[in-house]
Amino acid sequence: MPWRTRQWPPTPSRINKVDFHCVTNNTAHRTIEITRKQLIVRRGQPFLLTLEMLQSFSPAPSERRGTRSQFGNPSPKYPSDAKAIWKYEIDRSAVLERGIVALSVTPPNDAPVGKYSLSAMTHGETTSLGTLVVLFNPWCSDDWVYLPDEGERQEYVMNEEGTVYTGTSHCIGSRPWIFGQFEEEMVDICLKILDANLKHIKDPAGDTSARCNPIYVSRVISAMVNSNDDQGVLVGCWDGKYSDGCSPTYWTSSVSILQRWFQNCCSPVKYGQCWVFAAVMCTVMRFFGIPCRVVTNFQSAHDSNNSLTIDECYDDYGVRSKETSESVWNFHVWVEGWMKRPDLMKGGIYDGWQVLDPTPQEKSEGVFCCGPAPVNAILRGDTDVKYDVPFVYAEVNADIVKWMIGTNGSKKKMYTDSMSVGQSISTKAVGSWKRVDITDSYKHKEGSAAERAIFKHAVRMNSKEGQGCDIEEAPQYVEMKIKEETKAINGQDIKLSLKLSSKDHTNKVLSVRVNAQAMRYNGNPAGNILNKVQCMTLLSRQDVAIPLLIPFADYSKHMVNCDSIKVSAVASDSDEYYQTETNITLEQPVISMKVLDPVHVNREMTLEVEFKNPLNERLRNCSLTVIGCGLFKSDYVKSDLRELEPNATLRVKITTTPYRAGLKTVVADFDCSSFRDIKSSCIVDVKP
């Protein structure tokens, strides 16, 4: 996307050299963390450019004499529909009589982002001066990505480190993550992501012009982070078969993934799941200057037919049916990008945070991408708003309809659950490592009149009348709940209890069937762990607790590649069914790290990583990976670790040389035959 011009005094070869002032400009434009060698600026903000001429420069340039330059395309005169007009003025640091021409150049606030070529024309001859990269500018009030709060800009644009929340709504865990958007190679990688997208391949000029719009760019990034339609960054895999790549749980850094993609000629990297897709997209968004944060929705519905309801089917053992197109995930991770939405023409009510989801679930306008969907449209139930609001609305607020499938194939509705979907929607706090619950920005309090009214409005706006509407439910005469009696720790037996409470005046003879299944986090079962059947009489208004035990020996072989255990219970009398379930996330053993020396830039430092085997069995295939922005140029991998004996402790010392100052996060990943990708992190204060 060249911007050129540039008539200087009428003798040839008048430019001796050019100074882009990379350090000064990049510091002012907050891109110095990326590089000191290449000019990277933000639109709507001036930068300094100095040309050293071979003779003095006229202090009164004019277009008539060919000594005044106008930036932009077309040039020198602009038609009324011209876009992205660059401006300049002579800077006061210029010394024109000595031929030192200092220019203050301002890219327009609607300039397409990307790499530009700069050239000057002197007496009919064009001289190439070099290249520069232009990014969005959340510090510029006229930019669509303008974010007023400086603390939020530091968190959502400048922070290279963060955390991704996983687990279940009642046992929320976190994964440390290195975004690394300011690593120097991110310039070429992120620009290549834009150039490799299908729209650019089909229409390079149209795609390049559209890069002025963060709505368009974020949608392209969403499509390019997955590889379902193109040479995108990541291949998704949810079946547990990762032998020809890396398990999604292995990754701790977007940099590692993006480097592999770029260095292997844009060959998709194997494998990713939702938190990996989202974290990589966050890196690319922050690089381009679009404020972005990673968001986790617990109990996240996948509605494949836009009905805003999810059907869940059980047999009389409480066993969930096999994989279906609709499911409720333990958690699902997407990103929010901050931008205005003038395309929706609603007076700005949809400006602000927008949901974008690069995980390939459903197609949007023929491509596997999702968003931007305004968070405020989701809160209001405005499912007629683009992009993909019905799908995201269902993720956070769908109703679950539970069905019992008889041995003869008959189908009986048990009840509708309008409370479970969309729990503890979480993101990292600004300026700290605390978790912030942002559920209220997506929906009103569960069960409130406002929440039900918005649900009905969402159904109407989605043109799915009759689906998801309130239906009179039969009263539940027996309430059931599964409770953890002790903390569920990987390597130990799991102790639970099933509580049954009679809400009726009659005694009931019940057949109680309990089932435990190893589950992948996307709601699909991977293996059966436990079946238990018990007959009992529940007296009127009686409470009964049935103890449940899941031995480590029974679940251990399933849980290396699974994320949780779903324990379901179904009680039936002559003609009624009662059901409850819970997701159990196992607490993993701890890996610890510490820094052994004071840390300074360009001086060798030492880290010590320690892990104790909590099992009475040997751990095999042990490996350790360590990464940190400004600390390691690439992943540090130690895969030749010895087998770890029962209850033994592993200690590994790692040396590296930091190359950037400041507070840096180092992340370690320990993997073995019994525990999959245990994570830990620590903060390193790198002094100058």
Side-chain angles (χ1 to χ4, degrees), residues 236-255:
C237 183
W238 285 266
D239 62 9
K241 299 173 183 177
Y242 312 125
S243 59
D244 59 339
C246 293
S247 166
T249 57
Y250 167 77
W251 306 110
T252 56
S253 167
S254 304
V255 179

Side-chain angles (χ1 to χ4, degrees), residues 37 47 111 160 168 187 275 302 304 399 436 484 507 562 654:
K37 302 174 184 177
F47 64 90
E160 292 188 87
T168 62
V187 178
W275 71 92
H302 180 174
S304 60
D399 282 358
V436 176
E484 293 183 29
N507 299 340
C562 288
I654 299 167

Side-chain angles (χ1 to χ4, degrees), residues 335 344 412 518 559:
V335 302
L344 300 179
K412 178 180 175 61
M559 297 310 295

Side-chain angles (χ1 to χ4, degrees), residues 553-567:
D554 290 351
Y555 72 75
S556 59
K557 63 182 179 181
H558 296 283
M559 297 310 295
V560 175
N561 287 315
C562 288
D563 300 273
S564 65
I565 299 172
K566 184 177 287 292
V567 182

Side-chain angles (χ1 to χ4, degrees), residues 296-567:
T296 301
N297 176 40
F298 293 94
Q299 288 295 100
S300 186
H302 180 174
D303 175 21
S304 60
N305 61 7
N306 271 1
S307 66
L308 308 188
T309 62
I310 303 294
D311 290 323
E312 284 189 352
C313 299
Y314 298 80
D315 65 20
D316 57 3
Y317 278 87
V319 178
R320 292 274 299 278
S321 60
K322 294 297 182 182
E323 294 188 14
T324 62
S325 61
E326 294 191 334
S327 58
V328 177
W329 299 27
N330 288 353
F331 65 91
H332 182 53
V333 185
W334 55 69
V335 302
E336 290 177 357
W338 179 274
M339 65 194 73
K340 293 180 180 177
R341 291 300 302 272
D343 58 315
L344 300 179
M345 296 181 291
K346 291 288 186 177
I349 64 171
Y350 299 129
D351 293 350
W353 290 117
Q354 315 285 320
V355 171
L356 292 141
D357 191 350
T359 301
Q361 297 182 91
E362 302 291 336
K363 287 189 174 184
S364 173
E365 297 185 347
V367 178
F368 278 102
C369 67
C370 180
V375 172
N376 202 38
I378 299 161
L379 176 65
R380 294 161 56 97
D382 294 341
T383 49
D384 57 334
V385 171
K386 65 180 182 182
Y387 295 88
D388 310 304
V389 171
F391 183 77
V392 182
Y393 181 88
E395 287 183 303
V396 301
N397 211 30
D399 282 358
I400 305 173
V401 183
K402 305 212 175 198
W403 302 88
M404 177 59 64
I405 308 300
T407 54
N408 60 356
S410 61
K411 189 175 181 180
K412 178 180 175 61
K413 180 180 176 181
M414 292 189 287
Y415 64 96
T416 298
D417 177 359
S418 62
M419 303 282 286
S420 294
V421 167
Q423 300 291 319
S424 303
I425 303 175
S426 303
T427 192
K428 178 184 174 297
V430 172
S432 81
W433 292 91
K434 295 180 180 178
R435 182 182 69 87
V436 176
D437 192 309
I438 57 172
T439 307
D440 288 348
S441 66
Y442 280 85
K443 61 180 182 179
H444 297 276
K445 185 178 179 180
E446 285 289 4
S448 67
E451 183 270 331
R452 283 291 90 187
I454 292 293
F455 181 84
K456 293 177 182 178
H457 170 71
V459 171
R460 289 195 301 272
M461 291 295 99
N462 199 38
S463 300
K464 297 286 182 181
E465 287 85 355
Q467 299 192 59
C469 296
D470 291 341
I471 299 172
E472 188 70 27
E473 297 284 342
Q476 292 283 297
Y477 294 115
V478 176
E479 287 185 358
M480 301 198 301
K481 185 175 183 180
I482 298 170
K483 178 184 176 183
E484 293 183 29
E485 293 297 322
T486 58
K487 198 169 191 65
I489 298 174
N490 199 349
Q492 300 180 14
D493 295 347
I494 300 171
K495 297 178 181 179
L496 311 168
S497 64
L498 170 63
K499 182 179 179 180
L500 297 92
S501 300
S502 170
K503 303 298 179 182
D504 197 6
H505 295 288
T506 60
N507 299 340
K508 293 186 179 295
V509 178
L510 299 175
S511 173
V512 181
R513 301 173 185 266
V514 178
N515 169 263
Q517 291 178 290
M519 302 293 292
R520 299 191 174 95
Y521 83 97
N522 64 348
N524 286 320
N528 204 56
I529 297 173
L530 172 75
N531 282 309
K532 181 177 180 179
V533 182
Q534 180 173 335
C535 292
M536 61 173 293
T537 299
L538 184 65
L539 302 179
S540 171
R541 302 295 177 178
Q542 183 186 29
D543 293 340
V544 174
I546 300 174
L548 304 173
L549 180 70
I550 306 176
F552 171 67
D554 290 351
Y555 72 75
S556 59
K557 63 182 179 181
H558 296 283
M559 297 310 295
V560 175
N561 287 315
C562 288
D563 300 273
S564 65
I565 299 172
K566 184 177 287 292
V567 182

Side-chain angles (χ1 to χ4, degrees), residues 36-54:
R36 305 167 72 90
K37 302 174 184 177
Q38 182 180 10
L39 181 58
I40 303 177
V41 300
R42 299 187 186 276
R43 62 189 197 174
Q45 180 177 340
F47 64 90
L48 184 64
L49 175 70
T50 299
L51 304 177
E52 182 182 300
M53 317 298 285
L54 291 176

Side-chain angles (χ1 to χ4, degrees), residues 136-303:
F136 293 107
N137 192 351
W139 284 267
C140 174
S141 60
D142 292 324
D143 198 308
W144 286 8
V145 302
Y146 173 64
L147 185 60
D149 184 84
E150 177 61 19
E152 292 184 344
R153 290 191 293 247
Q154 290 299 316
E155 181 68 47
Y156 301 137
V157 180
M158 302 299 291
N159 197 352
E160 292 188 87
E161 298 149 355
T163 191
V164 180
Y165 296 102
T166 59
T168 62
S169 57
H170 62 272
C171 186
I172 296 174
S174 64
R175 299 173 185 264
W177 195 270
I178 304 296
F179 296 113
Q181 68 269 25
F182 296 142
E183 291 295 304
E184 191 164 356
E185 58 234 294
M186 288 299 106
V187 178
D188 292 334
I189 293 172
C190 292
L191 293 178
K192 183 63 178 178
I193 285 174
L194 296 189
D195 287 345
N197 93 84
L198 291 177
K199 293 181 179 180
H200 184 77
I201 293 170
K202 294 176 182 177
D203 180 12
D207 170 77
T208 301
S209 176
R211 294 178 189 177
C212 64
N213 186 344
I215 303 166
Y216 177 86
V217 171
S218 62
R219 197 160 166 80
V220 166
I221 296 170
S222 174
M224 280 299 299
V225 169
N226 70 72
S227 61
N228 285 44
D229 306 293
D230 43 41
Q231 286 186 293
V233 175
L234 275 164
V235 179
C237 183
W238 285 266
D239 62 9
K241 299 173 183 177
Y242 312 125
S243 59
D244 59 339
C246 293
S247 166
T249 57
Y250 167 77
W251 306 110
T252 56
S253 167
S254 304
V255 179
S256 309
I257 296 166
L258 291 166
Q259 284 175 336
R260 291 194 189 195
W261 176 77
F262 187 69
Q263 293 166 4
N264 290 295
C265 303
C266 305
S267 178
V269 177
K270 299 178 180 179
Y271 289 100
Q273 290 176 357
C274 70
W275 71 92
V276 186
F277 287 107
V280 170
M281 182 167 183
C282 185
T283 295
V284 181
M285 294 275 281
R286 288 184 181 181
F287 168 81
F288 280 114
I290 303 174
C292 188
R293 62 187 186 184
V294 177
V295 172
T296 301
N297 176 40
F298 293 94
Q299 288 295 100
S300 186
H302 180 174
D303 175 21

